[in-house]
C-alpha cells in the first residue's frame, strides 16, 4: 500500500512539473496574456479540469515555484543559532544566498532565470498574484515570532518589514542584471545594499525582537 501511495504521489509531482514547464515555455514564447489555459492544457495533453486540479489559476502555473520559499524567512528565524536575533539571521542568510547567486535574491544572470524574472516583473497579473505569496510569507514569519512571545502586532509589523526588505532587495538586484550587469559585477553593490537595508531594520527591530538563547 505504501509503495502504491508513493508511486501515485510521484506521478502527481511529475504531472505538476510537466504542466508548469509547458506553461512557462508557452508564456516565454508568446507572452503571458496571449496564452490561455486551454492552450496550456492542449499542449500538455490534459483537460482543463485536470490542469485546475493542480493549479488554481493561470498565474500559479508560473509562480508555483515561489511556494517553496514561502516558509523560508520563518524557517531561518525559527532555526537560527543561539545568540542571534531574527534580523541578523535573515541578514546573514541573504548575504550567503547572494554569494551563491541564488535566483530568489535576484542576483542570478543565468538566461533562463533572467527570462523568468522578466516575465514575472513585466506582467501585471503575475505581480498581483505574487503579492499573495508574499502575504503568506509574512503570516508564517509572524507566527514564528509570536511563538517566541512577541506581541501579535509587533510580530506582524516586524514580519512585514523583514519580508518587504528581502523582496525589494531582490527586485533591485534583478534590475541590475536586466540592465546588463553580470552577477559578479553587481555582487558588491548588492551586498552593500543588503547590509544597509538590514542595518536600518536592526536599529529598531532588535530592541523588540528576541535573541535566541543558548
Amino acid at each position: 500500500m505504501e509503495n502504491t501511495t508513493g508511486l501515485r504521489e510521484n506521478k502527481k509531482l511529475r504531472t505538476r512539473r510537466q504542466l508548469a514547464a509547458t506553461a512557462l515555455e508557452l508564456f516565454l514564447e508568446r507572452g503571458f496574456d496571449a496564452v490561455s489555459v486551454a492552450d496550456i492544457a492542449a499542449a500538455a495533453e490534459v483537460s482543463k479540469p485536470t490542469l485546475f486540479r493542480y493549479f488554481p489559476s493561470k498565474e500559479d502555473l508560473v509562480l508555483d515555484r515561489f511556494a517553496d520559499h514561502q516558509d523560508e524567512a520563518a524557517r531561518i528565524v525559527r532555526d537560527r543559532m543561539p545568540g542571534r536575533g531574527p534580523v541578523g539571521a535573515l541578514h546573514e542568510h541573504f548575504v550567503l544566498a547572494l554569494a551563491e547567486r541564488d535566483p530568489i535574491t535576484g542576483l542570478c544572470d543565468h538566461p533562463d532565470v533572467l527570462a523568468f524574472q522578466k516575465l514575472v516583473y513585466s506582467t501585471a497579473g503575475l505581480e498581483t498574484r505574487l503579492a499573495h505569496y508574499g502575504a503568506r510569507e509574512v503570516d508564517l514569519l509572524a507566527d514564528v515570532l509570536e511563538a517566541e512571545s512577541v506581541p501579535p502586532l509587533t510580530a506582524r509589523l516586524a514580519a512585514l518589514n523583514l519580508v518587504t526588505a528581502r523582496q525589494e532587495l531582490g527586485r533591485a538586484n534583478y534590475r541590475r542584471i536586466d540592465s546588463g550587469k553580470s552577477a559578479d559585477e553587481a555582487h558588491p553593490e548588492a551586498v552593500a545594499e543588503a547590509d544597509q537595508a538590514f542595518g536600518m531594520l536592526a536599529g529598531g527591530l532588535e530592541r523588540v525582537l528576541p535573541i535566541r538563547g543558548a
Side-chain angles (χ1 to χ4, degrees):
M1 184 64 177
E2 289 184 3
N3 288 339
T4 301
T5 301
L7 289 172
R8 187 182 301 115
E9 291 304 314
N10 286 337
K11 183 178 179 181
K12 287 181 179 179
L13 181 59
R14 287 196 301 272
T15 300
R16 186 179 187 85
R17 288 174 175 170
Q18 177 193 357
L19 289 171
T22 299
L24 183 58
E25 183 177 353
L26 291 174
F27 294 149
L28 292 175
E29 178 184 336
R30 307 181 196 172
F32 182 81
D33 294 327
V35 178
S36 69
V37 171
D39 293 331
I40 300 164
E45 299 182 338
V46 301
S47 66
K48 284 176 62 176
T50 295
L51 187 150
F52 281 125
R53 282 202 297 271
Y54 287 91
F55 297 96
S57 73
K58 190 172 82 165
E59 289 78 9
D60 288 316
L61 281 156
V62 178
L63 301 176
D64 183 64
R65 64 186 63 189
F66 283 95
D68 294 336
H69 294 276
Q70 286 183 105
D71 68 340
E72 186 172 75
R75 175 177 48 78
I76 292 164
V77 170
R78 185 184 60 244
D79 298 340
R80 69 190 186 278
M81 298 293 290
R84 302 292 286 170
V87 180
L90 287 168
H91 182 187
E92 180 180 30
H93 181 274
F94 194 87
V95 171
L96 288 173
L98 288 173
E100 296 171 356
R101 308 298 190 260
D102 188 330
I104 203 68
T105 68
L107 192 71
C108 182
D109 52 13
H110 189 285
D112 290 345
V113 173
L114 188 56
F116 171 79
Q117 291 177 328
K118 186 184 291 289
L119 174 68
V120 171
Y121 292 130
S122 65
T123 306
L126 292 174
E127 283 267 48
T128 299
R129 185 60 176 165
L130 187 59
H132 167 80
Y133 289 86
R136 179 60 176 158
E137 188 175 0
V138 169
D139 289 343
L140 292 171
L141 179 53
D143 287 345
V144 169
L145 294 173
E146 283 190 51
E148 297 189 18
S149 300
V150 177
L153 179 58
T154 301
R156 183 153 192 84
L157 290 173
L160 279 165
N161 278 276
L162 289 165
V163 169
T164 299
R166 283 160 49 90
Q167 291 173 341
E168 290 305 314
L169 287 168
R171 290 172 188 270
N173 291 332
Y174 158 72
R175 288 193 289 269
R176 290 189 185 95
I177 303 300
D178 189 48
S179 71
K181 286 187 176 181
S182 70
D184 289 344
E185 290 170 336
H187 180 254
E189 189 176 2
V191 171
E193 286 197 349
D195 290 344
Q196 180 185 40
F198 284 104
M200 291 168 61
L201 293 177
L205 294 182
E206 286 190 344
R207 293 182 295 175
V208 295
L209 298 181
I211 300 297
R212 172 59 53 85

